[in-house]
């Protein structure tokens, strides 16, 4: 195997884990009072003491924990009910087709869409007013930014259900679901009960890491928290970002201490979740031994389908709301539609949106291109060496997604500030690469390994070198998975808010940072324009990933891998 290919996995690990380790180091030092650039030479515990006495810090931590656990638990429950009750049925296929493209919708765009629906002056209230409610003005109730974080939890659920559902569908192919379900039903078990007892334990073992990623992300998300979360106090992640943006450099010590608290909370929540897995396993084993056949299956199954359909409907309706607001003229309450439509908002914000779109495109394409090159190199090295990825390697792959962004990105920004390298696209692209790499690897890994090796053997027998087999046989046959991996990478990069904000130091403006910045202004028309542009930037690559192979292969159907 050429030495260059053998080095690619090492380079990939450095690109993926290097910023995480450096960022954690850059967080730990200020948290213990060592920040020479601000005149603090520690070590000291002053920052931790200041954090402990900060007003509202307990409530901020509680909101982070409760919203994370609630969003993850409900998302997993919905996915289990959908998959257990309906997998393999026409209804499941319809739901899968509806939810799959929604995975690409950025979190911020989905949150804005949900906000436009459920706000007191939102579309849902408008549709039933004044006929059913008697309201001729928006009700004075706190729905968005509620103190318990319920709106934020709902925003996270509608985005995490598609992600976990697709992870579960991928896992079903490895557990022989159909055979196990047939045996269970032949023994008299209901469909859902039989699936839970015979299939779910093996499926959960496959999706455990994605569930942990959802939990860590939900506890530390910033953009969704800014749009839908509480404000007095906000979740801990928002407080950390606020402290990092303070002109007083001394506040970075407080931010670092808060980042360590965020990490401790995530580790504690993951431990609680892991303990809960043992409890559920013990209860489930007892349930299996008792042999109940599932008398309530008929009543529970529609709940899963209904929850899945509601998830898809909320996102689609939210995007529809963004579309209407972007063209809305005067729109008084309680009218369900604007009095007039116009292009004025698009014309007013078009130039700025175009600039942000260009910046988003450059950052996303560069990060995704680098990630694709590294992933292809890793997979080719794996193929030629015959060494498959181990469970330890899988943990390393998920590690950047398990460590909260708010824990290591502030430290990374502080380190870059000390090195004088905190300006420009380069550091932002490197930060995006940390998050794009795992998703590109997960998207491309299975199709790459499933490629029929006999094609390579035939090419080699005809005199082709390994490099020629890679470039002229394997890659052309893997055009569709490669394009899908590129689309996944682009959508991940487009949705990155905190890496762009912190590492870019506010000097790199993408569609996501601009859209979230508009959240505090309340200009729904401008928010709608940026939200739609952000959604288009993430969805168009997926459409191209479907169209391009169809065009390329219109006369070469045998090239399907």
């Amino acid at each position: 195997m050429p030495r260059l290919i053998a080095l690619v996995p090492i380079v990939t690990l450095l690109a993926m884990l290097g910023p995480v380790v450096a960022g954690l180091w850059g967080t730990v030092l200020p948290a213990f009072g060592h920040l020479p650039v601000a005149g603090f030479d520690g070590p000291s515990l002053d920052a931790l003491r200041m954090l402990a006495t900060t007003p509202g810090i307990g409530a901020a931590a509680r909101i982070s924990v409760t919203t994370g656990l609630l969003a993850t638990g409900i998302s997993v429950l919905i996915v289990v009910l959908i998959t257990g009750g309906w997998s393999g049925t026409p209804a499941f296929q319809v739901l899968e087709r509806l939810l799959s493209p929604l995975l690409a919708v950025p979190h911020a765009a989905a949150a804005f869409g949900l906000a436009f629906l459920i706000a007191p002056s939102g579309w849902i209230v408008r549709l039933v007013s004044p006929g059913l409610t008697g309201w001729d003005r928006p009700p004075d109730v706190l729905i968005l930014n509620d103190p318990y974080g319920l709106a934020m939890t709902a925003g996270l659920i509608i985005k995490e259900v598609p992600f976990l559902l697709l992870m579960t569908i991928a896992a079903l192919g490895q557990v022989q679901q159909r055979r196990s379900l047939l045996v269970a039903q032949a023994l008299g078990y209901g469909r859902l009960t039989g699936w839970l007892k015979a299939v779910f334990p093996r499926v959960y073992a496959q999706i455990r890491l994605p569930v942990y990623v959802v939990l860590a992300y939900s506890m530390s998300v910033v953009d969704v928290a800014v749009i839908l979360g509480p404000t007095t106090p906000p979740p801990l992640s928002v407080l950390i970002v606020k402290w990092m943006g303070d002109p007083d450099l001394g506040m970075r010590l407080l931010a670092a201490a808060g980042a360590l608290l965020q990490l401790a909370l995530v580790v504690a929540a993951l431990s609680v979740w892991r303990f809960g897995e043992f409890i559920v396993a013990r209860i489930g084993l007892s349930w299996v031994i008792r042999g109940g056949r599932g008398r309530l299956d008929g009543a529970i199954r529609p709940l899963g389908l209904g929850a899945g359909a509601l998830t898809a409907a909320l996102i689609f309706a939210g995007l529809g709301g963004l579309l209407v607001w972007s063209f809305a003229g005067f729109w008084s309450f309680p009218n369900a539609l604007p009095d007039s439509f116009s292009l004025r908002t698009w014309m007013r914000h078009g130039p700025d949106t175009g600039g942000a779109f260009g910046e988003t495109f450059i950052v996303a394409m560069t990060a995704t291109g680098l990630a694709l090159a590294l992933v292809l190199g890793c997979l080719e090295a794996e193929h030629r060496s015959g060494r498959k990825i181990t469970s330890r390697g899988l943990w390393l792959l998920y590690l950047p997604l398990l460590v909260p962004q708010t824990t290591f990105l502030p430290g990374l920004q502080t380190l870059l500030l000390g090195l004088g390298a905190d300006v420009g696209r380069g550091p932002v692209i490197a930060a995006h690469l940390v998050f794009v790499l795992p998703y590109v690897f997960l998207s491309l890994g299975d199709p790459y390994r499933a490629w029929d090796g006999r094609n390579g053997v035939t090419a080699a027998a005809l005199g082709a070198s390994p490099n020629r087999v890679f470039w002229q046989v394997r890659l052309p046959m893997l055009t569709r998975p490669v394009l899908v991996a590129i689309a996944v990478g682009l959508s991940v990069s487009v949705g990155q808010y905190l890496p762009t904000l912190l590492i870019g130091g506010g000097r790199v403006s993408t569609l996501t940072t601009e859209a979230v910045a508009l959240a505090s202004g309340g200009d729904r028309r401008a928010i709608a324009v940026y939200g739609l542009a952000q959604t288009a930037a993430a969805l168009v690559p997926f459409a191209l990933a479907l169209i391009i192979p169809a065009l390329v292969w219109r006369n070469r159907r045998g090239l399907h891998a």
Side-chain angles (χ1 to χ4, degrees):
M1 185 170 58
R3 183 175 297 178
L4 184 61
I5 292 182
L7 289 176
V8 173
I10 299 173
V11 176
T12 304
L13 281 177
L14 287 175
M16 197 167 55
L17 301 181
V20 178
V21 175
L24 288 174
W25 182 246
T27 297
V28 170
L29 290 180
F32 288 95
H34 186 74
L35 187 60
V37 69
F40 297 96
D41 294 320
S44 78
L45 298 177
D46 291 346
L48 296 175
R49 292 194 191 97
M50 193 190 315
L51 178 68
T53 58
T54 299
I57 189 65
R62 174 184 55 76
I63 292 168
S64 295
V65 173
T66 54
T67 52
L69 287 172
L70 262 180
T72 308
I74 294 174
S75 299
V76 171
L77 179 63
I78 291 174
V79 170
V80 167
L81 290 178
I82 294 172
T83 314
W86 299 91
S87 59
T89 66
F92 185 81
Q93 292 174 0
V94 171
L95 198 57
E96 180 186 351
R97 288 172 185 166
L98 284 175
L99 289 174
S100 297
L102 300 183
L103 182 64
V105 178
H107 279 80
F112 279 128
L114 182 66
F116 285 9
L117 284 180
I118 65 175
S121 59
W123 228 355
I124 293 177
V125 174
R126 288 172 182 268
L127 287 174
V128 296
S129 299
L132 297 180
T133 63
W135 295 331
D136 56 6
R137 62 183 60 186
D140 186 17
V141 292
L142 187 60
I143 298 176
L144 299 179
N145 312 118
D146 63 285
Y148 301 105
L150 298 179
M152 177 180 163
T153 303
L156 289 168
I157 290 172
I158 62 173
K159 270 301 294 167
E160 302 310 340
V161 166
F163 172 69
L164 288 177
L165 183 62
L166 292 182
M167 292 291 107
T168 304
I169 291 172
L172 288 178
Q174 305 174 36
V175 298
Q176 296 182 330
Q177 175 198 231
R178 180 176 172 79
R179 184 181 301 177
S180 300
L181 200 53
L182 284 175
V183 172
Q185 289 181 307
L187 293 173
Y189 288 94
R191 180 187 176 85
L192 179 59
T193 302
W195 190 89
L196 288 172
K197 291 186 175 182
V199 180
F200 177 66
R202 286 174 288 156
V203 168
Y204 187 77
Q206 301 287 330
I207 65 168
R208 176 177 286 123
L209 281 176
V211 171
Y212 291 174
V213 168
V214 169
L215 178 56
Y217 178 83
S218 300
M219 289 182 63
S220 57
V221 66
V222 176
D223 49 359
V224 176
V226 169
I227 298 165
L228 296 172
T231 54
T232 51
L236 181 59
S237 56
V238 178
L239 276 180
I240 294 170
V241 175
K242 179 183 174 185
W243 292 331
M244 284 297 295
D246 197 291
D248 180 5
L249 290 180
M251 293 299 286
R252 289 175 182 265
L253 274 62
L254 182 61
L260 284 189
L261 174 61
Q262 180 86 76
L263 179 62
L265 290 175
V266 169
V267 171
L270 287 173
S271 302
V272 169
W273 188 274
R274 182 66 177 148
F275 180 71
E277 290 176 358
F278 285 115
I279 299 296
V280 171
R282 294 293 296 270
I283 295 174
L285 181 61
S286 172
W287 184 45
V288 170
I289 293 173
R290 286 200 303 273
R293 264 40 180 182
R295 288 178 300 175
L296 299 177
D297 274 18
I300 297 175
R301 281 185 67 205
L303 295 179
L305 190 65
L310 180 62
T311 299
L314 285 174
I315 298 184
F316 279 119
L319 294 178
L322 291 178
L323 184 65
V324 172
W325 269 108
S326 72
F327 290 102
F330 181 73
W331 193 355
S332 60
F333 188 90
N335 294 343
L337 290 173
D339 297 346
S340 63
F341 291 93
S342 76
L343 293 171
R344 188 173 58 184
T345 307
W346 282 95
M347 293 176 67
R348 188 174 63 186
H349 295 283
D352 293 339
T353 307
F357 190 94
E359 191 70 45
T360 304
F361 181 78
I362 292 171
V363 172
M365 279 302 295
T366 309
T368 303
L370 291 172
L372 182 65
L374 291 172
V375 168
L376 285 172
C378 287
L379 292 170
E380 186 63 14
E382 178 185 315
H383 168 69
R384 296 190 189 184
S385 66
R387 296 177 183 172
K388 294 185 177 180
I389 189 168
T390 62
S391 59
R392 186 179 300 175
L394 205 57
W395 271 96
L396 287 177
L397 195 61
Y398 274 98
L399 190 61
L401 308 179
L402 290 171
V403 179
Q405 293 185 4
T406 45
T407 296
F408 73 90
L409 286 176
L412 189 60
Q413 187 204 37
T414 303
L415 283 179
L416 291 172
L417 185 66
L419 296 172
D422 65 324
V423 177
R425 295 193 193 109
V428 173
I429 291 170
H432 279 222
L433 184 61
V434 173
F435 305 101
V436 171
L437 254 172
Y439 284 105
V440 172
F441 201 108
L442 292 170
S443 300
L444 191 54
D446 286 341
Y448 199 92
R449 298 183 186 105
W451 180 70
D452 190 346
R454 291 175 296 181
N455 295 297
V457 173
T458 302
L462 293 173
S465 66
N467 287 340
R468 193 174 178 189
V469 171
F470 173 77
W471 288 108
Q472 296 188 358
V473 180
R474 193 160 197 157
L475 276 188
M477 294 185 71
L478 290 172
T479 300
R480 188 190 297 275
V482 167
L483 289 176
V484 170
I486 292 173
V488 169
L490 291 175
S491 69
V492 170
S493 179
V494 167
Q496 294 300 317
Y497 171 69
L498 198 56
T500 312
L501 181 71
L502 287 183
I503 306 303
R507 297 175 180 86
V508 178
S509 298
T510 63
L511 290 169
T512 301
T513 58
E514 292 300 297
V516 177
L518 289 168
S520 58
D523 184 347
R524 294 189 180 186
R525 293 168 179 81
I527 290 172
V529 168
Y530 277 93
L532 286 175
Q534 190 193 23
T535 304
L539 281 178
V540 168
F542 279 95
L544 294 176
L546 296 176
I547 295 171
I548 292 175
L551 294 176
V552 172
W553 290 336
R554 63 187 186 280
N555 296 322
R556 299 179 180 85
R557 293 185 178 179
L559 276 179
H560 284 275

